[in-house]
């Protein structure tokens, strides 16, 4: 014990591991004698004898298998590649309640992992690998865990091998395709070369591919009046595989569709690190090239060098290969020349940054979607080390130093979403030490129930993961007798941006001193790098640590940012700052403005001028006032420059190319309404176009944008001599047709199709209604107007196909069905229809669906094709028929004004240094207490963890209008801070 006391005095001395400089020493730190050791020599000289060798550790981690990914509905499958149905569907004799993780593909992945770990254990190296699958209460599904035992070097190397030899983040990529491209109508079967090419893609990329029938609109889809039935006429190619393989196969399927459309395919080579740089911010440069050359350019995923997994027998995509499709070889050659010219004029700025290796792995496994968005927004490239390689250096490069700096700050803010904790056991009786098998079981349980990586070395637990995961792991550890019956120390390390140091500590470190005195913890600010610093919360008791950590998190900055045009800043600030000072004092929120000069000077790109330039920041315990401050500030802004919002418009992806070809018109539209139109990248194959701008301007911009999208609807009616005579009359050509165009902005044309017949096999005639998407709501009114004229002329029109039913009445007439009254006007009964603008409102769709799919009980049966052809013959389909997703429901633009305000679309990091906001103290409850979990206080606090493995992270989804220097914790407004949000601005 004398030696242990000497070591303690060494830790608290000037040269100890916790010695601090004058500006780092926090007041109230007191005696450091209770602090645990840090250096390797301290561990080596510890008098505590461990039964485990000095170089032997246990390391436990979860393998993100995505075992909750279900296969396609067997009734929808028209064709599947080799053995795909066997892998992604349950056997016919399986029970109805079989869990998803029991699918053969998921069971095989776990089996392969067990075999790999067994080979590692039986190998020549002294290391053990054990696999355990469990169903923790916190998540619905199965969690597979691996525990490694051996020297640190072998453990980390084995973990790298396991993660790179296992299919992580399984996903399903879906590509919509027109059925006419894949069906041989004469033979009522799929085209043979289509089937062969899908098989080749599946084998080459190592994925499973399904060709699925069109999605039929449900009854609820028809009630919104947006014509969802039109989009559902397309067929679907579903691609199942790991992240890289699925992206590779998806690109090849898109290229194959371009070939079916008669386009030429070629490619070029370019270094991977230049791809996002050449594309420019929000892919602006590539969109210009595509519009000028009428081509489609497909770039590979930017993380090809991060994941090294490749399915057996498959080929990885060359990370430097770019595919280009165009109408002619000349257009492709022109696109190549423009790309290489752009590369030759590019000057790259590079910067290296240090990030913890554990946090790099966490970002690569759970935050890749955010990283991809950061790269596209800033037009930069981020070079990460390989997964689990234990390297801590990342490199960022871009064409401008400002964008590189923004990217570094964004990445550094992501690191703040992950905590690290250490639990030292200082004294323990020898007979209480668990056996190695018990240690492995204990670590696996902690890891499965928290989703954190846990290691055990020399009676020390080290925990890394997201903030909630680390706190959940500590909670589980606190329930283990072996741990809590001994003397121990706990340290939780939080990473925060340097600019928030004074904000958290308060004036003269008042906030920190108060927390340390109230919760019996020690708090140390420790420098880390040029962007972030660490906050260490240390305690000798779990309850004290939990209380102190909650209080520290309550002092973390919660912030919200939004855009206000620079010309309003003086009005909002007021003379001498009196207006903004009053708002800040009223709500205890700090507000900061920046103008174009602060953001790097005038003359930059237009989209740079619209970045968030107002930031409101306050401690997380006061986060509910942020929306109130934002509302007061925006009340002083004119309607045309009101809060920036974003609206998604659905337009068929193949028509995007024609719209981008009119780039000049789109730019004029953006300038007219002060909005920005963003098309998805070509390889995404998405129909969603985002229109962002002031909330009162976006609906007008969307209306004019949809006016550039043509569409049509076919109405098939029975042919009668009276009807033909009317359609050929001068009254119809000179009177009715001009009125339809002037009043309803709809044109009607008469054509004949011999393939369309009535139920009695009689002749028909087709009325083709042409319009633009913004006037889609006028089609039904135009048909009603024509029907009224026919009735006036004594002509009865019998609709064979394409009728648009009236919506169900929301009046009380249905309750009076037993009363016979001539005063009550009864609505007509719903009519079964296949219209692209409306779907049925009765039970016909349900009956129709069951009838069609009765033939599809056997997946992949080619005999079922004819039933889908019958369905398509009875529907009005065209390349434009899918343009009805979000068209206006009527011609009037007044209905477009009502749109719910969302957050500002563009976000940018705030480089300013600011002081904290001192909130008034409450003597009774200075800080609101909160259960150490997600705020519910129940045993399922961490229930939501791991429900979305891979890079899908809804827990930390960044709000577009939010700009916290440190990303959200479980107490910040970004993560559902349990405080009331202010009412919306009227």
């Amino acid at each position: 014990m004398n030696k242990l006391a000497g070591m303690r005095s060494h830790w608290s001395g000037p040269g100890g591991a916790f010695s601090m400089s004058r500006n780092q020493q926090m007041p109230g730190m007191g005696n450091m004698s209770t602090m645990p050791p840090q250096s390797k020599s301290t561990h080596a000289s510890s008098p505590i004898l461990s039964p485990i060798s000095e170089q032997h550790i246990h390391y436990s981690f979860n393998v993100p298998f995505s075992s909750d990914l279900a296969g396609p509905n067997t009734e929808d499958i028209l064709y599947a590649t080799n053995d795909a149905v066997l892998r992604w569907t349950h056997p016919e004799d399986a029970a109805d309640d079989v869990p998803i993780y029991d699918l053969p593909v998921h069971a095989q992945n776990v089996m392969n992992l067990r075999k790999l770990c067994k080979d590692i254990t039986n190998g020549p190296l002294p290391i053990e690998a054990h696999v355990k699958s469990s169903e923790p209460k916190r998540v619905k599904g199965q969690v597979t865990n691996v525990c490694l035992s051996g020297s640190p070097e072998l453990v980390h190397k084995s973990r790298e091998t396991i993660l790179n030899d296992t299919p992580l983040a399984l996903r399903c990529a879906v590509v919509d395709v027109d059925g006419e491209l894949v069906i041989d109508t004469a033979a009522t079967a799929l085209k043979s070369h289509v089937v062969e090419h899908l098989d080749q893609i599946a084998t080459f990329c190592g994925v499973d591919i399904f060709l699925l029938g069109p999605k039929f609109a449900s009854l609820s889809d028809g009630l919104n009046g947006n014509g969802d039935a039109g989009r559902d006429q397309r067929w679907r190619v579903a691609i199942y595989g790991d992240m890289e393989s699925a992206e590779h196969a998806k690109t090849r399927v898109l290229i194959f569709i371009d070939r079916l459309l008669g386009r030429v395919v070629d490619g070029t080579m370019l270094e991977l690190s230049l791809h996002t740089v050449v594309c420019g911010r929000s892919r602006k440069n590539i969109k210009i090239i595509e519009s000028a050359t009428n081509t489609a350019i497909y770039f590979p995923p930017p993380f090809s060098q991060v994941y090294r997994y490749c399915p057996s027998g498959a080929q990885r995509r060359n990370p430097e290969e770019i595919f280009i499709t165009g109408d002619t070889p000349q257009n492709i050659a022109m696109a190549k020349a423009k790309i290489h010219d752009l590369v030759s004029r590019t000057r790259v700025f590079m910067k290296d940054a240090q990030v913890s290796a554990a946090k790099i792995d966490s970002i690569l496994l759970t935050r890749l979607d955010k990283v991809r968005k950061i790269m596209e927004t800033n037009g930069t490239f981020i070079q990460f080390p390989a997964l689990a390689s234990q390297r801590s250096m990342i490199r960022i490069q871009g064409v401008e130093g400002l964008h590189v700096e923004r990217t570094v700050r964004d990445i550094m803010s992501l690191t703040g979403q992950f905590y690290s904790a250490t639990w030292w056991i200082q004294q323990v009786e020898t007979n209480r030490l668990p056996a190695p098998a018990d240690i492995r079981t204990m670590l696996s349980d902690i890891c499965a129930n928290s989703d954190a990586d846990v290691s055990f070395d020399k009676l020390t637990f080290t925990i890394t993961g997201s903030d909630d995961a680390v706190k959940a792991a500590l909670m589980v550890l606190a329930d283990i007798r072996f741990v809590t019956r001994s003397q121990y120390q706990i340290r939780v390390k939080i990473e925060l941006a340097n600019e928030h140091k004074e904000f958290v500590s308060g004036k003269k470190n008042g906030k920190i001193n108060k927390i340390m005195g109230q919760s019996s913890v020690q708090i140390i600010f420790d420098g880390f790098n040029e962007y972030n610093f660490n906050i260490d919360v240390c305690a000798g008791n779990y309850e004290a640590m939990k209380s102190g950590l909650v209080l520290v998190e309550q002092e973390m900055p919660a912030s919200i940012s939004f855009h206000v045009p620079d010309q309003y800043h003086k009005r909002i600030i007021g003379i001498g700052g009196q207006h903004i000072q009053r708002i800040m004092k009223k709500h205890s929120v700090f507000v900061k403005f920046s103008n174009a000069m602060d953001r790097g000077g005038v003359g930059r790109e237009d989209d740079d001028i619209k970045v968030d330039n107002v930031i409101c920041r306050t401690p997380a315990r006061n986060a509910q006032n942020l929306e109130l401050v934002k509302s007061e500030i925006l009340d002083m802004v004119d309607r045309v420059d009101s809060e920036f919002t974003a609206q998604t418009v659905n337009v068929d992806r193949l028509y995007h190319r024609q719209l981008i070809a009119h780039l000049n018109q789109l730019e004029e539209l953006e300038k007219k309404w002060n909005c920005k139109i963003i098309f998805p990248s070509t390889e995404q194959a998405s129909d969603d176009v985002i229109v962002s701008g002031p909330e009162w301007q976006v609906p007008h911009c969307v209306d004019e944008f949809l006016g550039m999208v043509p569409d049509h609807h076919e109405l098939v009616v029975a042919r009668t001599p009276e009807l033909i005579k009317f359609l050929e009359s001068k009254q119809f050509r000179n009177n009715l047709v001009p009125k339809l165009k002037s009043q309803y902005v709809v044109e009607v044309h008469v054509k004949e199709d011999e393939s369309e017949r009535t139920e009695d096999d009689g002749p028909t005639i087709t009325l083709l209604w042409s319009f633009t998407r913004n006037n889609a709501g006028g089609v039904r009114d135009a048909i009603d107007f024509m029907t009224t004229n026919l009735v006036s002329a004594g002509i009865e029109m019998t609709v064979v196909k394409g009728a648009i039913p009236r919506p169900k009445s929301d009046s009380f007439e249905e309750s009076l069905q037993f009363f016979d009254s001539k005063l009550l006007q009864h609505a007509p009964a719903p009519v079964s229809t296949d219209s692209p603008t409306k779907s049925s409102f009765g039970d016909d769709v349900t009956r129709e669906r069951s009838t069609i799919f009765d033939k599809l009980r056997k997946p992949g049966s080619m005999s079922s094709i004819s039933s889908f052809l019958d369905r398509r013959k009875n529907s009005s389909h065209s390349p434009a028929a899918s343009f009805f997703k979000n068209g206006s429901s009527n011609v009037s633009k007044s209905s477009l004004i009502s749109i719910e305000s969302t957050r500002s679309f563009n976000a940018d990091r705030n480089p300013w240094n600011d002081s904290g906001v001192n909130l008034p103290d409450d003597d009774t409850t200075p800080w609101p207490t909160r259960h150490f979990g997600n705020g519910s206080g129940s045993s399922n606090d961490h229930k939501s963890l791991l429900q979305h493995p891979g890079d899908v992270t809804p827990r930390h989804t960044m709000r577009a209008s939010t700009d916290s220097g440190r990303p959200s914790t479980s107490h910040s407004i970004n993560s559902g801070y349990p405080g009331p949000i202010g009412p919306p601005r009227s």
Side-chain angles (χ1 to χ4, degrees):
M1 294 301 296
N2 293 335
K3 186 176 181 181
L4 181 60
M7 291 304 301
R8 287 179 173 174
S9 63
H10 172 70
W11 298 337
S12 60
F18 288 98
S19 61
M20 303 176 64
S21 62
R22 185 181 302 271
N23 59 350
Q24 289 178 321
Q25 180 67 49
M26 301 301 302
M29 292 301 295
N31 187 6
M32 298 291 293
S33 60
T34 60
M35 294 306 300
Q38 283 285 301
S39 64
K40 199 167 187 179
S41 60
T42 305
H43 281 292
S45 60
S46 174
I48 302 175
L49 298 178
S50 172
I52 307 171
S53 70
E54 183 178 351
Q55 295 296 323
H56 195 85
I57 69 171
H58 298 274
Y59 190 99
S60 180
F61 61 97
N62 291 335
V63 179
F65 269 134
S66 303
S67 57
D68 57 345
L69 178 62
N73 189 342
T74 55
E75 296 180 342
D76 293 345
I77 301 174
L78 293 182
Y79 179 77
T81 54
N82 188 28
D83 294 336
V85 174
L86 297 178
R87 283 192 288 266
W88 287 98
T89 60
H90 291 294
E92 295 181 359
D93 56 348
D96 294 337
D97 57 347
V98 178
I100 296 176
Y101 60 79
D102 275 347
L103 282 173
V105 62
H106 298 312
Q108 185 64 40
N109 287 337
V110 176
M111 188 181 303
N112 293 340
L113 177 63
R114 293 184 183 277
K115 182 178 182 303
L116 176 61
C117 291
K118 185 177 180 180
D119 293 341
I120 293 176
T121 303
N122 297 333
L125 298 177
I127 188 169
E128 296 182 16
H130 301 270
V131 181
K132 180 179 180 181
S133 296
S134 59
E135 300 180 54
K137 295 181 179 179
R138 61 174 181 79
V139 63
K140 183 180 179 181
Q142 186 183 61
V143 175
T144 302
N145 177 271
V146 175
C147 188
L148 301 172
S149 301
S151 64
E153 294 79 9
L154 290 178
V155 163
H156 293 305
K157 194 64 180 176
S158 300
R159 177 173 178 265
E160 181 181 4
T161 301
I162 291 173
L163 291 179
N164 285 282
D165 290 350
T166 305
L168 305 179
L170 293 178
R171 60 186 57 196
C172 174
V174 179
V175 177
D176 294 322
V177 58
D178 191 351
E180 295 180 353
L181 295 177
V182 298
I183 289 181
D184 186 352
T185 308
T188 64
L190 295 176
K191 295 179 180 179
S192 58
H193 69 279
V194 172
V195 173
E196 293 174 0
H197 197 81
L198 291 180
D199 289 338
Q200 292 175 4
I201 293 176
T203 303
F204 186 81
C205 301
V207 296
D208 294 317
I209 300 180
F210 298 90
L211 181 60
L212 309 178
K215 294 183 296 182
F216 290 93
S218 64
L219 296 180
S220 59
D221 293 333
L223 296 177
N224 56 18
N226 286 337
D228 289 346
R231 183 186 178 196
D232 291 336
Q233 297 306 312
R234 286 183 296 176
W235 298 47
R236 296 164 291 157
V237 179
I239 305 166
Y240 286 80
D242 63 277
M243 183 180 65
E244 288 293 317
S245 301
E247 287 291 331
H248 185 193
K250 181 180 179 181
T251 301
R252 291 192 172 269
V253 169
L254 292 173
I255 293 173
F256 178 60
I257 294 175
D258 284 351
R259 283 178 175 168
L260 294 177
L261 293 172
R263 297 172 69 89
V264 183
V265 180
D266 201 349
T268 185
M269 304 296 290
L270 181 64
E271 185 182 347
L272 176 64
S273 61
L274 292 176
H275 288 183
T276 52
V277 177
V278 170
C279 286
R281 302 185 63 190
S282 301
R283 296 178 65 96
K284 182 177 180 180
N285 296 340
I286 290 302
K287 291 301 178 186
I288 294 176
I289 295 177
E290 289 179 333
S291 65
T293 59
N294 193 22
T295 57
I297 304 175
Y298 299 91
F299 284 87
F303 308 109
S304 302
Q305 299 178 355
V306 173
Y307 294 101
R308 296 198 295 267
Y309 172 77
C310 183
S312 176
Q315 299 291 327
R316 287 177 60 90
R317 179 175 177 179
N318 188 337
E320 298 181 351
E321 186 176 13
I322 300 173
F323 297 115
I324 306 175
T325 65
D327 294 332
T328 62
Q330 292 76 17
N331 289 347
I332 296 179
M334 190 185 306
K336 287 183 181 179
K338 288 183 177 293
I339 291 176
H340 289 291
D341 180 63
L342 195 61
V343 172
S344 63
R345 292 185 287 106
T346 300
R347 297 295 179 266
V348 176
F349 291 82
M350 289 189 296
K351 186 166 187 177
D352 293 337
Q354 289 282 345
V355 179
S356 168
K359 293 189 177 183
I360 288 180
D361 290 345
S362 297
I363 290 175
L364 294 178
L365 291 173
T366 61
R367 302 288 191 272
L368 271 191
D369 282 347
K370 293 182 175 59
V371 174
R372 188 193 300 263
K373 184 176 180 181
I374 291 172
M375 292 167 61
E376 291 183 355
T377 301
N378 297 293
T380 53
F381 177 78
I382 306 172
Q383 177 63 61
F384 284 98
L387 178 64
S389 60
Q390 293 300 304
R391 291 192 298 232
S392 59
M393 177 73 71
I394 64 173
R395 172 165 293 178
I396 299 94
Q397 66 180 36
V399 296
E400 193 171 343
L402 177 63
H403 300 154
V404 172
E405 191 70 18
R406 287 176 178 172
T407 303
V408 177
R409 290 181 179 275
D410 288 344
I411 292 297
M412 289 300 176
S413 69
L414 282 182
T415 63
Q417 298 179 4
F418 302 99
Y419 287 5
S420 61
T422 310
W423 189 308
W424 289 278
I425 300 176
Q426 295 179 329
Q427 291 184 2
V428 65
E429 298 178 6
T430 306
N431 57 359
R432 289 185 180 179
L433 292 175
D438 296 333
I439 292 177
R440 288 193 294 267
T441 302
M442 175 176 59
L443 294 183
S444 296
D445 290 341
I446 296 172
C447 192
N449 285 279
S450 65
D451 193 32
D453 291 359
V454 185
S455 66
F456 184 74
D457 178 22
K458 303 188 190 71
L459 299 177
T460 300
F461 292 93
T462 303
I463 308 166
T464 58
S466 65
D467 50 359
D468 276 349
V470 170
K471 291 185 287 187
L474 293 175
M475 182 187 302
V476 177
L477 270 176
D479 294 333
I480 300 176
R481 292 185 179 181
F482 152 68
V483 177
T484 55
R485 288 186 176 182
S486 308
Q487 289 187 4
Y488 59 85
Q489 289 287 332
I490 308 174
R491 166 175 293 181
V492 178
K493 192 180 294 289
I494 305 172
E495 197 168 346
L496 191 63
N498 289 331
E499 63 195 52
H500 302 313
K501 185 174 182 181
E502 187 179 353
F503 187 97
V504 176
S505 63
K507 294 181 179 179
K508 298 182 179 179
N509 301 310
K511 295 180 181 180
I512 296 301
N513 288 338
K514 187 173 184 179
I515 292 174
M516 290 192 296
Q518 184 172 346
S519 56
S520 300
V521 297
Q522 294 176 336
I523 300 175
I524 304 173
F525 286 4
D526 184 21
F528 183 67
N529 57 33
E530 62 175 310
Y531 295 98
N532 294 354
F533 72 101
N534 291 329
I535 301 177
D536 291 351
V537 181
C538 313
N541 178 270
Y542 170 74
E543 293 298 330
M545 187 280 306
K546 181 175 71 172
S547 174
L549 186 60
V550 169
L551 296 179
V552 170
E553 287 183 331
Q554 291 289 352
E555 295 300 332
M556 291 292 178
S559 60
I560 186 172
S561 63
F562 49 94
H563 176 79
V564 173
D566 291 359
Q567 63 265 28
Y568 295 98
H569 289 189
K570 290 184 178 180
R571 178 195 302 182
I572 298 171
I573 295 173
I575 301 175
Q578 56 182 357
H579 289 170
I580 197 63
Q581 289 290 342
R582 176 184 59 82
I583 295 175
M584 291 168 59
K585 185 176 181 181
K586 175 182 177 182
H587 299 286
S588 297
V589 173
F590 177 79
V591 181
K592 180 75 174 180
F593 294 84
S594 79
N595 52 33
M597 296 299 294
D598 296 331
R599 296 193 299 272
V602 186
R604 298 191 175 276
E605 302 175 14
D606 292 339
D607 57 350
D608 189 48
I609 300 176
K610 299 176 184 177
V611 299
D612 292 348
N613 54 10
V614 180
I615 183 169
C616 307
R617 183 177 293 130
T618 189
R621 55 192 170 96
N622 188 47
Q624 67 271 14
N625 285 345
L626 289 173
E627 289 289 345
L628 301 178
V629 172
K630 178 180 178 180
S631 178
E632 284 199 33
I633 291 177
L634 291 177
D635 282 341
M636 291 183 268
V637 177
D638 295 339
R639 170 178 288 190
V640 294
D641 296 313
S642 55
E643 178 186 358
F644 272 54
T645 185
Q647 181 176 346
T648 301
V649 182
N650 188 274
V651 178
D652 188 284
R653 66 176 183 85
L654 294 178
Y655 196 73
H656 291 183
R657 300 167 184 175
Q658 301 182 40
L659 291 173
I660 294 175
H662 300 84
L663 198 60
N664 294 334
Q665 292 179 317
L666 294 176
E667 291 178 351
E668 292 177 1
L669 191 61
E670 290 177 336
K671 292 179 181 179
K672 178 180 178 181
W673 298 110
N674 192 27
C675 293
K676 186 178 179 183
I677 301 174
I678 302 175
F679 289 90
S681 60
T682 310
E683 52 271 6
Q684 283 182 350
S686 173
D687 296 331
D688 295 336
V689 179
I690 297 176
V691 181
S692 63
E695 61 178 330
W696 295 103
Q697 306 288 74
V698 166
H700 298 288
C701 184
V702 169
D703 185 75
E704 286 200 30
F705 174 72
L706 290 176
M708 302 172 62
V709 182
D711 210 336
H712 72 261
H713 171 63
E714 292 181 354
L715 182 68
V716 182
V717 297
R719 181 189 180 102
T720 60
E722 295 82 5
L723 179 61
I724 294 299
K725 183 178 179 180
F726 178 83
L727 296 177
E728 293 177 350
S729 65
K730 292 184 179 180
Q731 178 187 359
F732 175 76
R733 294 194 306 268
N734 302 332
N735 186 16
L736 185 58
V737 172
K739 281 187 177 180
L740 290 173
K741 186 174 182 180
S742 61
Q743 295 181 13
Y744 302 101
V745 202
V746 176
E747 296 182 3
V748 61
H749 303 277
V750 182
K751 69 174 186 177
E752 296 186 15
D753 187 355
E754 295 182 357
S755 63
E756 298 287 355
R757 310 293 290 182
T758 64
E759 293 182 356
D760 300 332
D761 199 25
T764 62
I765 192 167
T766 302
L767 300 177
L768 182 64
W769 306 82
S770 301
F771 48 91
T772 55
R773 280 279 306 277
N774 60 331
N775 295 310
V779 177
R780 183 175 58 198
D781 296 333
I783 295 176
D784 292 343
F785 179 74
M786 181 175 175
T787 304
T788 303
N789 282 267
L790 289 173
V791 172
S792 301
I795 302 173
E796 181 180 358
M797 185 174 65
T798 303
V799 178
V800 177
K801 184 192 67 177
I804 304 177
R806 295 178 58 85
K808 276 189 175 181
S809 173
D810 58 354
S811 67
F812 54 84
E813 64 174 294
E814 291 184 357
S815 63
L816 302 178
Q817 55 180 321
F818 302 105
F819 294 87
D820 186 13
S821 173
K822 296 181 179 180
L823 298 177
L824 295 177
Q825 196 173 23
H826 297 280
V831 181
S832 178
T833 177
D834 305 332
S835 167
T837 55
K838 300 290 174 184
S839 58
S840 298
F841 293 91
D843 297 330
D844 304 281
V845 172
T846 307
R847 291 195 298 268
E848 184 180 14
R849 177 180 175 87
S850 61
T851 303
I852 289 175
F853 287 116
D854 282 340
K855 303 178 182 180
L856 293 173
R857 298 302 176 186
K858 184 178 180 182
S861 174
M862 296 303 297
S863 63
S864 61
I865 298 295
S866 57
S867 63
F868 279 91
L869 296 180
D870 295 338
R871 164 70 180 180
R872 291 189 52 83
K873 285 181 180 179
N874 294 327
S875 64
S876 61
H877 57 276
S878 67
S882 60
F883 294 160
F884 280 83
K885 180 62 179 174
N886 287 322
S888 305
S889 58
N890 53 57
V891 185
S892 173
K893 293 186 180 180
S894 61
S895 63
L896 298 172
I897 300 302
S898 62
I899 178 174
E900 183 181 356
S901 172
T902 58
R903 299 290 163 253
S904 165
F905 182 72
N906 292 320
D908 191 13
R909 289 295 158 210
N910 169 43
W912 309 308
N913 189 359
D914 59 87
S915 60
V917 178
N918 294 321
L919 303 181
D921 291 333
D922 188 345
D923 295 335
T924 56
T925 56
W927 292 280
T929 58
R930 178 176 178 271
H931 192 271
F932 194 63
N934 66 358
S936 63
S938 66
S939 61
N940 296 326
D941 272 347
H942 306 280
K943 178 180 178 181
S944 63
L945 296 178
L946 264 197
Q947 290 179 337
H948 303 270
D951 57 354
V952 183
T953 54
R955 169 64 180 81
H956 288 284
T957 300
M958 297 170 59
R959 289 172 45 181
S961 68
T962 302
D963 183 10
S964 60
R966 173 195 173 276
S968 60
T969 66
S970 55
H971 294 267
S972 72
I973 188 172
N974 300 343
S975 306
Y977 173 75
I981 301 300
R985 186 163 60 93
S986 57

